[in-house]
Amino acid sequence: TIKGPFDADKVYWFNIIGLHNIRLIKDIGDIFDIHPMDLEDIVHVSQWSKIEINDSYLFSIFKMMYLKQAEIIHEHLGIVQHNNILLTFQETSGDVFDGIRKRLENNHNNSREYGSEFLFYSLIDALVDQYFEILNRLAADIKNIELRIYDSDLKSRENIYYLRKELLHLINSVTPIKDSIKSLVNKEIINKDMLPYYNDLLDHLNQISDALRAYKEMTNSLHEMQMANAS
């Protein structure tokens, strides 16, 4: 149960698991005055990534992707930053934030100094780190498929479709985040002390975007090679 009053000198992070519990999410929305349309976006897992500035809080939707036992996991994530309070809404237990939790427990996180704004940045940074991990995995898969195509392995067609699908997931996750953060920086909405962190984050997102474009072209070429071999 989430109850106030909340100490203004502290930073609170509430992690809500289970988007199917509509009653709980509505109650939390009432406590923190979250708009019903934003609550709808939190429970609708098909909603695209975005960051929006509302009257009293920062609202965002992300696609959390991470590797679990060689499988790429996709999860819908909603985040609300409201003064010194951060709310995260996710589908199931298990995520990419354990490193942040450990640093908070050991008092090794700048959230103590910069408040919930730094914690919000830290969550996005953790998501982006996982995007790099998935890119490395897909790069290895592309290399393996290329070798198999040269060996006339016709079963590689399924793997190419899988790669193209995962690359599309990444593109649809990364592009809106990059555009939203760029808008936050350009409009000078965020704390000036946080600008170096967000600029570094933008550099990473640009690197990922460039890699995604290159890998997309490579998978298209692999598809054409595979079709030629099949002919």
Side-chain angles (χ1 to χ4, degrees):
T1 305
I2 300 175
K3 290 183 179 179
F6 301 104
D7 191 336
D9 295 330
K10 295 181 179 179
V11 176
Y12 297 86
W13 177 13
F14 298 105
N15 187 42
I16 297 93
I17 298 171
L19 303 184
H20 60 280
N21 194 335
I22 305 299
R23 180 72 257 175
L24 172 63
I25 291 175
K26 185 181 183 306
D27 289 343
I28 293 171
D30 291 340
I31 293 170
F32 296 103
D33 197 24
I34 302 172
H35 195 279
M37 294 296 292
D38 293 335
L39 294 178
E40 266 191 48
D41 288 344
I42 286 171
V43 298
H44 287 170
V45 297
S46 60
Q47 178 65 46
W48 279 37
S49 299
K50 62 180 179 178
I51 302 176
E52 293 180 345
I53 306 294
N54 288 351
D55 291 339
S56 60
Y57 58 87
L58 188 69
F59 176 70
S60 54
I61 294 292
F62 298 109
K63 296 304 177 184
M64 180 163 55
M65 298 173 64
Y66 57 95
L67 293 171
K68 185 176 182 181
Q69 298 177 351
E71 182 183 358
I72 299 177
I73 305 298
H74 301 256
E75 191 175 344
H76 185 74
L77 175 72
I79 304 179
V80 175
Q81 182 206 346
H82 178 81
N83 296 327
N84 61 327
I85 295 168
L86 198 78
L87 305 165
T88 50
F89 302 82
Q90 60 186 90
E91 295 179 67
T92 58
S93 57
D95 52 42
V96 303
F97 304 135
D98 286 343
I100 298 172
R101 293 186 181 97
K102 193 170 292 184
R103 291 196 296 273
L104 287 170
E105 289 171 2
N106 296 327
N107 293 323
H108 294 153
N109 188 279
N110 286 343
S111 299
R112 310 281 181 187
E113 181 179 353
Y114 295 123
S116 63
E117 190 172 4
F118 188 86
L119 183 55
F120 176 72
Y121 153 80
S122 298
L123 297 184
I124 305 176
D125 190 49
L127 293 176
V128 172
D129 284 345
Q130 286 301 309
Y131 293 158
F132 273 116
E133 293 289 329
I134 294 170
L135 271 180
N136 291 336
R137 152 74 186 279
L138 294 179
D141 288 347
I142 288 171
K143 187 174 182 180
N144 290 333
I145 291 172
E146 187 175 17
L147 293 173
R148 287 162 59 186
I149 288 176
Y150 284 131
D151 291 335
S152 299
D153 182 356
L154 297 182
K155 291 181 181 178
S156 58
R157 182 176 181 179
E158 257 181 50
N159 300 99
I160 294 172
Y161 285 150
Y162 170 78
L163 280 175
R164 295 173 85 178
K165 183 183 74 173
E166 293 299 341
L167 284 170
L168 184 60
H169 279 306
L170 269 174
I171 291 169
N172 289 339
S173 300
V174 169
T175 305
I177 297 174
K178 185 180 72 172
D179 293 343
S180 297
I181 291 176
K182 191 181 294 183
S183 177
L184 288 180
V185 171
N186 290 340
K187 292 178 181 177
E188 299 182 349
I189 293 171
I190 59 176
N191 187 325
K192 288 184 179 179
D193 292 334
M194 291 296 301
L195 277 177
Y197 295 101
Y198 278 99
N199 284 328
D200 185 61
L201 195 59
L202 274 175
D203 286 342
H204 291 165
L205 288 166
N206 284 327
Q207 289 175 36
I208 293 173
S209 294
D210 290 343
L212 285 171
R213 280 193 293 270
Y215 291 165
K216 187 178 179 183
E217 290 177 8
M218 291 168 70
T219 54
N220 288 340
S221 297
L222 290 175
H223 177 68
E224 291 172 4
M225 289 168 60
Q226 200 278 335
M227 295 300 292
N229 284 347
S231 299

